[in-house]
Amino acid sequence: MTLTEHFSFEELTRTGQSALQDANRREARDYIDKLKLVAEMLEAIRAKFGAVRVNSGFRGPAVNAAVGGSATSQHSKGEAADIVCPSTTVDELHRWIVVESGLKFGQCILEKPAGSAWVHISLGAPYRDPKKCGESLAFDGKTYTPKRY
Ligand SMILES: [Zn+2]
């Protein structure tokens, strides 16, 4: 199923937990409208950097239970994606989204736990408290800190 021109429902609902793949997609059907809005943000990023790889999008109750994820995460509401762009660094990707893109994101997090790196981007208002929108953070695997440019 296509969400936007370049992004599919399958791509935004994939999970590394292969036994839970079907369950995750079943649970995701209630969130298609929001997944489309996430995909629209990814289209803007794709227009700038080319291919966008989605490491994780929707993570429903089945996946969250298995990986000990947060049920209050925007991922579990179909409102967030973890991405990398092969054509650029996560640092530049994060900087561009926060500083230049004009995207009305909820949170944009430069995530760099040991040995890995990606950018988390989520929907802004009305899906997230307006007071907590446009939030730019860095995460080192332990601590979230404000990331200013
Ligand atoms: Zn994330």
Side-chain angles (χ1 to χ4, degrees):
M1 185 202 318
T2 297
L3 294 173
T4 58
E5 186 179 358
H6 299 102
F7 295 94
S8 68
F9 176 78
E10 288 70 23
E11 216 171 345
L12 269 76
T13 55
R14 190 178 296 136
T15 172
Q17 307 281 315
S18 53
L20 302 174
Q21 186 62 79
D22 289 349
N24 199 53
R25 294 210 167 116
R26 240 183 348 261
E27 291 166 352
R29 283 186 205 140
D30 293 338
Y31 300 92
I32 288 172
D33 289 350
K34 290 193 283 188
L35 288 169
K36 277 186 184 167
L37 297 175
V38 172
E40 282 170 14
M41 291 201 299
L42 301 187
E43 289 286 357
I45 295 164
R46 188 183 186 283
K48 169 69 179 174
F49 292 110
V52 175
R53 201 166 71 221
V54 181
N55 290 350
S56 182
F58 177 76
R59 295 197 293 261
V63 171
N64 265 328
V67 304
S70 162
T72 60
S73 154
Q74 285 190 276
H75 284 284
S76 65
K77 296 183 278 185
E79 298 173 0
D82 294 339
I83 58 170
V84 295
C85 290
S87 75
T88 191
T89 62
V90 288
D91 303 81
E92 171 57 11
L93 176 60
H94 184 268
R95 189 202 65 78
W96 181 81
I97 292 169
V98 170
V99 177
E100 290 185 37
S101 72
L103 288 169
K104 302 284 179 224
F105 59 85
Q107 263 184 326
C108 188
I109 312 174
L110 178 58
E111 306 224 28
K112 288 182 167 181
S116 194
W118 66 87
V119 171
H120 168 102
I121 184 167
S122 71
L123 298 182
Y127 305 100
R128 185 178 173 83
D129 182 343
K131 291 192 290 292
K132 295 197 294 181
C133 285
E135 191 173 41
S136 169
L137 298 171
F139 180 65
D140 62 5
K142 288 178 185 159
T143 312
Y144 291 90
T145 50
K147 175 81 178 160
R148 307 193 200 288
Y149 291 97

